[in-house]
mmCIF file of all heavy atoms in Angstrom:
data_model
loop_
_atom_site.group_PDB
_atom_site.id
_atom_site.type_symbol
_atom_site.label_atom_id
_atom_site.label_comp_id
_atom_site.label_asym_id
_atom_site.label_seq_id
_atom_site.Cartn_x
_atom_site.Cartn_y
_atom_site.Cartn_z
ATOM 1 N N SER K 1 -11.435 -8.829 5.998
ATOM 2 C CA SER K 1 -10.018 -8.688 5.714
ATOM 3 C C SER K 1 -9.267 -9.929 6.163
ATOM 4 O O SER K 1 -9.709 -10.666 7.045
ATOM 5 C CB SER K 1 -9.444 -7.457 6.422
ATOM 6 O OG SER K 1 -10.084 -6.271 6.008
ATOM 7 N N LEU K 2 -8.120 -10.122 5.560
ATOM 8 C CA LEU K 2 -7.292 -11.265 5.885
ATOM 9 C C LEU K 2 -5.847 -10.931 5.550
ATOM 10 O O LEU K 2 -5.575 -10.191 4.599
ATOM 11 C CB LEU K 2 -7.743 -12.487 5.093
ATOM 12 C CG LEU K 2 -7.346 -13.879 5.602
ATOM 13 C CD1 LEU K 2 -7.993 -14.159 6.955
ATOM 14 C CD2 LEU K 2 -7.747 -14.942 4.597
ATOM 15 N N LYS K 3 -4.942 -11.475 6.323
ATOM 16 C CA LYS K 3 -3.517 -11.287 6.085
ATOM 17 C C LYS K 3 -2.863 -12.619 5.779
ATOM 18 O O LYS K 3 -3.004 -13.582 6.529
ATOM 19 C CB LYS K 3 -2.844 -10.652 7.306
ATOM 20 C CG LYS K 3 -1.331 -10.491 7.158
ATOM 21 C CD LYS K 3 -0.691 -10.041 8.455
ATOM 22 C CE LYS K 3 0.834 -10.005 8.346
ATOM 23 N NZ LYS K 3 1.470 -9.600 9.633
ATOM 24 N N LEU K 4 -2.141 -12.645 4.681
ATOM 25 C CA LEU K 4 -1.335 -13.799 4.327
ATOM 26 C C LEU K 4 0.140 -13.475 4.549
ATOM 27 O O LEU K 4 0.578 -12.351 4.324
ATOM 28 C CB LEU K 4 -1.550 -14.195 2.867
ATOM 29 C CG LEU K 4 -2.981 -14.495 2.423
ATOM 30 C CD1 LEU K 4 -2.985 -14.928 0.956
ATOM 31 C CD2 LEU K 4 -3.624 -15.554 3.305
ATOM 32 N N SER K 5 0.885 -14.486 4.963
ATOM 33 C CA SER K 5 2.312 -14.304 5.195
ATOM 34 C C SER K 5 3.082 -15.383 4.464
ATOM 35 O O SER K 5 2.588 -16.490 4.246
ATOM 36 C CB SER K 5 2.631 -14.352 6.692
ATOM 37 O OG SER K 5 1.975 -13.315 7.390
ATOM 38 N N CYS K 6 4.299 -15.050 4.114
ATOM 39 C CA CYS K 6 5.157 -15.987 3.405
ATOM 40 C C CYS K 6 6.589 -15.801 3.869
ATOM 41 O O CYS K 6 7.038 -14.671 4.093
ATOM 42 C CB CYS K 6 5.057 -15.767 1.898
ATOM 43 S SG CYS K 6 6.175 -16.802 0.916
ATOM 44 N N ALA K 7 7.288 -16.904 3.986
ATOM 45 C CA ALA K 7 8.695 -16.869 4.344
ATOM 46 C C ALA K 7 9.450 -17.906 3.530
ATOM 47 O O ALA K 7 8.980 -19.029 3.351
ATOM 48 C CB ALA K 7 8.882 -17.131 5.837
ATOM 49 N N ALA K 8 10.597 -17.518 3.048
ATOM 50 C CA ALA K 8 11.469 -18.415 2.312
ATOM 51 C C ALA K 8 12.622 -18.847 3.198
ATOM 52 O O ALA K 8 13.174 -18.041 3.945
ATOM 53 C CB ALA K 8 11.997 -17.739 1.050
ATOM 54 N N SER K 9 12.977 -20.100 3.100
ATOM 55 C CA SER K 9 14.046 -20.633 3.923
ATOM 56 C C SER K 9 15.403 -20.162 3.433
ATOM 57 O O SER K 9 15.554 -19.684 2.296
ATOM 58 C CB SER K 9 13.985 -22.157 3.934
ATOM 59 O OG SER K 9 14.268 -22.679 2.641
ATOM 60 N N GLY K 10 16.387 -20.319 4.305
ATOM 61 C CA GLY K 10 17.736 -19.934 3.961
ATOM 62 C C GLY K 10 18.213 -18.764 4.785
ATOM 63 O O GLY K 10 17.449 -17.819 5.035
ATOM 64 N N THR K 11 19.460 -18.821 5.185
ATOM 65 C CA THR K 11 20.018 -17.758 6.013
ATOM 66 C C THR K 11 20.780 -16.717 5.214
ATOM 67 O O THR K 11 21.032 -15.623 5.714
ATOM 68 C CB THR K 11 20.953 -18.351 7.080
ATOM 69 O OG1 THR K 11 22.013 -19.086 6.449
ATOM 70 C CG2 THR K 11 20.186 -19.280 8.006
ATOM 71 N N THR K 12 21.141 -17.049 3.985
ATOM 72 C CA THR K 12 21.926 -16.127 3.172
ATOM 73 C C THR K 12 21.339 -15.963 1.776
ATOM 74 O O THR K 12 22.067 -15.744 0.815
ATOM 75 C CB THR K 12 23.381 -16.607 3.065
ATOM 76 O OG1 THR K 12 23.423 -17.915 2.488
ATOM 77 C CG2 THR K 12 24.044 -16.619 4.431
ATOM 78 N N LEU K 13 20.048 -16.034 1.671
ATOM 79 C CA LEU K 13 19.403 -15.903 0.378
ATOM 80 C C LEU K 13 19.415 -14.457 -0.102
ATOM 81 O O LEU K 13 19.190 -13.532 0.673
ATOM 82 C CB LEU K 13 17.960 -16.391 0.442
ATOM 83 C CG LEU K 13 17.742 -17.880 0.704
ATOM 84 C CD1 LEU K 13 16.259 -18.174 0.810
ATOM 85 C CD2 LEU K 13 18.371 -18.718 -0.401
ATOM 86 N N SER K 14 19.657 -14.288 -1.378
ATOM 87 C CA SER K 14 19.540 -12.994 -2.026
ATOM 88 C C SER K 14 18.338 -13.061 -2.957
ATOM 89 O O SER K 14 18.340 -13.812 -3.928
ATOM 90 C CB SER K 14 20.809 -12.653 -2.801
ATOM 91 O OG SER K 14 20.697 -11.392 -3.436
ATOM 92 N N ILE K 15 17.327 -12.277 -2.645
ATOM 93 C CA ILE K 15 16.057 -12.361 -3.343
ATOM 94 C C ILE K 15 15.789 -11.077 -4.102
ATOM 95 O O ILE K 15 15.818 -9.992 -3.530
ATOM 96 C CB ILE K 15 14.915 -12.650 -2.357
ATOM 97 C CG1 ILE K 15 15.143 -14.010 -1.692
ATOM 98 C CG2 ILE K 15 13.570 -12.604 -3.062
ATOM 99 C CD1 ILE K 15 14.133 -14.345 -0.621
ATOM 100 N N ASN K 16 15.503 -11.216 -5.384
ATOM 101 C CA ASN K 16 15.183 -10.063 -6.211
ATOM 102 C C ASN K 16 13.743 -9.607 -6.049
ATOM 103 O O ASN K 16 13.454 -8.413 -6.098
ATOM 104 C CB ASN K 16 15.449 -10.374 -7.685
ATOM 105 C CG ASN K 16 16.913 -10.317 -8.046
ATOM 106 O OD1 ASN K 16 17.750 -9.919 -7.241
ATOM 107 N ND2 ASN K 16 17.222 -10.714 -9.265
ATOM 108 N N ALA K 17 12.849 -10.572 -5.876
ATOM 109 C CA ALA K 17 11.442 -10.227 -5.799
ATOM 110 C C ALA K 17 10.666 -11.323 -5.092
ATOM 111 O O ALA K 17 11.039 -12.500 -5.139
ATOM 112 C CB ALA K 17 10.862 -9.996 -7.193
ATOM 113 N N MET K 18 9.599 -10.928 -4.450
ATOM 114 C CA MET K 18 8.667 -11.855 -3.832
ATOM 115 C C MET K 18 7.263 -11.345 -4.097
ATOM 116 O O MET K 18 7.053 -10.147 -4.297
ATOM 117 C CB MET K 18 8.883 -11.969 -2.324
ATOM 118 C CG MET K 18 10.239 -12.502 -1.910
ATOM 119 S SD MET K 18 10.397 -12.685 -0.109
ATOM 120 C CE MET K 18 9.243 -14.025 0.208
ATOM 121 N N GLY K 19 6.317 -12.262 -4.084
ATOM 122 C CA GLY K 19 4.966 -11.818 -4.312
ATOM 123 C C GLY K 19 3.954 -12.925 -4.203
ATOM 124 O O GLY K 19 4.239 -14.011 -3.684
ATOM 125 N N TRP K 20 2.768 -12.604 -4.694
ATOM 126 C CA TRP K 20 1.636 -13.504 -4.594
ATOM 127 C C TRP K 20 0.923 -13.632 -5.920
ATOM 128 O O TRP K 20 0.698 -12.642 -6.628
ATOM 129 C CB TRP K 20 0.641 -12.999 -3.542
ATOM 130 C CG TRP K 20 1.205 -12.948 -2.161
ATOM 131 C CD1 TRP K 20 1.884 -11.919 -1.579
ATOM 132 C CD2 TRP K 20 1.131 -13.985 -1.181
ATOM 133 N NE1 TRP K 20 2.243 -12.250 -0.299
ATOM 134 C CE2 TRP K 20 1.796 -13.510 -0.025
ATOM 135 C CE3 TRP K 20 0.575 -15.252 -1.163
ATOM 136 C CZ2 TRP K 20 1.910 -14.269 1.136
ATOM 137 C CZ3 TRP K 20 0.690 -16.014 -0.016
ATOM 138 C CH2 TRP K 20 1.345 -15.521 1.116
ATOM 139 N N TYR K 21 0.574 -14.846 -6.246
ATOM 140 C CA TYR K 21 -0.320 -15.163 -7.342
ATOM 141 C C TYR K 21 -1.479 -15.961 -6.777
ATOM 142 O O TYR K 21 -1.378 -16.542 -5.695
ATOM 143 C CB TYR K 21 0.395 -15.959 -8.433
ATOM 144 C CG TYR K 21 1.407 -15.151 -9.216
ATOM 145 C CD1 TYR K 21 2.637 -14.825 -8.670
ATOM 146 C CD2 TYR K 21 1.123 -14.722 -10.508
ATOM 147 C CE1 TYR K 21 3.562 -14.085 -9.380
ATOM 148 C CE2 TYR K 21 2.042 -13.991 -11.231
ATOM 149 C CZ TYR K 21 3.259 -13.675 -10.665
ATOM 150 O OH TYR K 21 4.177 -12.940 -11.383
ATOM 151 N N ARG K 22 -2.564 -15.992 -7.513
ATOM 152 C CA ARG K 22 -3.703 -16.774 -7.051
ATOM 153 C C ARG K 22 -4.333 -17.528 -8.208
ATOM 154 O O ARG K 22 -4.211 -17.145 -9.364
ATOM 155 C CB ARG K 22 -4.744 -15.881 -6.366
ATOM 156 C CG ARG K 22 -5.481 -14.922 -7.295
ATOM 157 C CD ARG K 22 -6.409 -14.020 -6.496
ATOM 158 N NE ARG K 22 -7.207 -13.160 -7.347
ATOM 159 C CZ ARG K 22 -8.019 -12.214 -6.903
ATOM 160 N NH1 ARG K 22 -8.143 -12.013 -5.588
ATOM 161 N NH2 ARG K 22 -8.712 -11.471 -7.760
ATOM 162 N N HIS K 23 -5.010 -18.609 -7.855
ATOM 163 C CA HIS K 23 -5.669 -19.449 -8.838
ATOM 164 C C HIS K 23 -7.111 -19.664 -8.406
ATOM 165 O O HIS K 23 -7.398 -20.563 -7.607
ATOM 166 C CB HIS K 23 -4.937 -20.782 -8.956
ATOM 167 C CG HIS K 23 -5.361 -21.576 -10.147
ATOM 168 N ND1 HIS K 23 -4.736 -22.750 -10.514
ATOM 169 C CD2 HIS K 23 -6.345 -21.376 -11.048
ATOM 170 C CE1 HIS K 23 -5.315 -23.228 -11.593
ATOM 171 N NE2 HIS K 23 -6.293 -22.408 -11.941
ATOM 172 N N PRO K 24 -8.020 -18.828 -8.907
ATOM 173 C CA PRO K 24 -9.434 -19.013 -8.568
ATOM 174 C C PRO K 24 -9.989 -20.270 -9.223
ATOM 175 O O PRO K 24 -9.496 -20.702 -10.273
ATOM 176 C CB PRO K 24 -10.102 -17.755 -9.133
ATOM 177 C CG PRO K 24 -8.980 -16.786 -9.388
ATOM 178 C CD PRO K 24 -7.795 -17.641 -9.713
ATOM 179 N N PRO K 25 -11.009 -20.853 -8.643
ATOM 180 C CA PRO K 25 -11.617 -22.043 -9.257
ATOM 181 C C PRO K 25 -12.113 -21.754 -10.665
ATOM 182 O O PRO K 25 -12.826 -20.777 -10.902
ATOM 183 C CB PRO K 25 -12.782 -22.368 -8.317
ATOM 184 C CG PRO K 25 -12.417 -21.740 -7.012
ATOM 185 C CD PRO K 25 -11.665 -20.495 -7.381
ATOM 186 N N GLY K 26 -11.711 -22.597 -11.599
ATOM 187 C CA GLY K 26 -12.162 -22.459 -12.968
ATOM 188 C C GLY K 26 -11.546 -21.321 -13.746
ATOM 189 O O GLY K 26 -11.964 -21.055 -14.879
ATOM 190 N N LYS K 27 -10.566 -20.653 -13.168
ATOM 191 C CA LYS K 27 -9.932 -19.525 -13.838
ATOM 192 C C LYS K 27 -8.422 -19.720 -13.903
ATOM 193 O O LYS K 27 -7.861 -20.581 -13.234
ATOM 194 C CB LYS K 27 -10.262 -18.217 -13.120
ATOM 195 C CG LYS K 27 -11.741 -17.861 -13.104
ATOM 196 C CD LYS K 27 -11.974 -16.535 -12.398
ATOM 197 C CE LYS K 27 -13.437 -16.164 -12.393
ATOM 198 N NZ LYS K 27 -13.671 -14.872 -11.702
ATOM 199 N N GLN K 28 -7.791 -18.890 -14.705
ATOM 200 C CA GLN K 28 -6.352 -18.962 -14.878
ATOM 201 C C GLN K 28 -5.639 -18.293 -13.708
ATOM 202 O O GLN K 28 -6.149 -17.345 -13.103
ATOM 203 C CB GLN K 28 -5.961 -18.294 -16.200
ATOM 204 C CG GLN K 28 -4.513 -18.481 -16.594
ATOM 205 C CD GLN K 28 -4.222 -17.892 -17.969
ATOM 206 O OE1 GLN K 28 -5.109 -17.347 -18.615
ATOM 207 N NE2 GLN K 28 -2.980 -18.008 -18.407
ATOM 208 N N ARG K 29 -4.465 -18.785 -13.403
ATOM 209 C CA ARG K 29 -3.654 -18.156 -12.376
ATOM 210 C C ARG K 29 -3.358 -16.714 -12.765
ATOM 211 O O ARG K 29 -3.070 -16.409 -13.927
ATOM 212 C CB ARG K 29 -2.348 -18.929 -12.174
ATOM 213 C CG ARG K 29 -1.378 -18.266 -11.206
ATOM 214 C CD ARG K 29 -0.087 -19.051 -11.080
ATOM 215 N NE ARG K 29 -0.274 -20.261 -10.304
ATOM 216 C CZ ARG K 29 0.700 -21.120 -10.004
ATOM 217 N NH1 ARG K 29 1.939 -20.878 -10.432
ATOM 218 N NH2 ARG K 29 0.444 -22.194 -9.301
ATOM 219 N N GLU K 30 -3.407 -15.829 -11.792
ATOM 220 C CA GLU K 30 -3.216 -14.411 -12.063
ATOM 221 C C GLU K 30 -2.336 -13.759 -11.014
ATOM 222 O O GLU K 30 -2.240 -14.211 -9.873
ATOM 223 C CB GLU K 30 -4.566 -13.694 -12.124
ATOM 224 C CG GLU K 30 -5.327 -13.705 -10.810
ATOM 225 C CD GLU K 30 -6.680 -13.028 -10.913
ATOM 226 O OE1 GLU K 30 -7.110 -12.712 -12.034
ATOM 227 O OE2 GLU K 30 -7.319 -12.820 -9.857
ATOM 228 N N LEU K 31 -1.720 -12.673 -11.429
ATOM 229 C CA LEU K 31 -0.906 -11.885 -10.524
ATOM 230 C C LEU K 31 -1.773 -11.223 -9.474
ATOM 231 O O LEU K 31 -2.820 -10.661 -9.786
ATOM 232 C CB LEU K 31 -0.131 -10.822 -11.306
ATOM 233 C CG LEU K 31 0.553 -9.728 -10.480
ATOM 234 C CD1 LEU K 31 1.767 -10.300 -9.750
ATOM 235 C CD2 LEU K 31 0.963 -8.562 -11.368
ATOM 236 N N VAL K 32 -1.319 -11.267 -8.238
ATOM 237 C CA VAL K 32 -1.944 -10.509 -7.168
ATOM 238 C C VAL K 32 -1.095 -9.287 -6.840
ATOM 239 O O VAL K 32 -1.538 -8.148 -6.977
ATOM 240 C CB VAL K 32 -2.158 -11.368 -5.911
ATOM 241 C CG1 VAL K 32 -2.771 -10.529 -4.792
ATOM 242 C CG2 VAL K 32 -3.046 -12.564 -6.221
ATOM 243 N N ALA K 33 0.132 -9.527 -6.417
ATOM 244 C CA ALA K 33 1.032 -8.433 -6.078
ATOM 245 C C ALA K 33 2.455 -8.946 -5.993
ATOM 246 O O ALA K 33 2.690 -10.081 -5.597
ATOM 247 C CB ALA K 33 0.625 -7.780 -4.752
#
C-alpha cells in the first residue's frame, strides 16, 4: 500500500474538483480518482 498526497497553493482558492490521473509507461494517461 501507498499513500499519495496533494496540496494546491493559495489561501482563498475555490476548487470544484481535485483528483489523480496516472501515466503508465507505454500507455495513455488515465483517470485514477
Side-chain angles (χ1 to χ4, degrees):
S1 300
L2 200 64
K3 177 188 175 182
L4 304 182
S5 298
C6 176
S9 66
T11 59
T12 59
L13 294 177
S14 180
I15 297 175
N16 282 353
M18 298 183 68
W20 297 88
Y21 290 75
R22 69 184 184 185
H23 193 174
K27 297 181 179 180
Q28 189 175 0
R29 175 182 286 182
E30 64 182 10
L31 168 72
V32 178

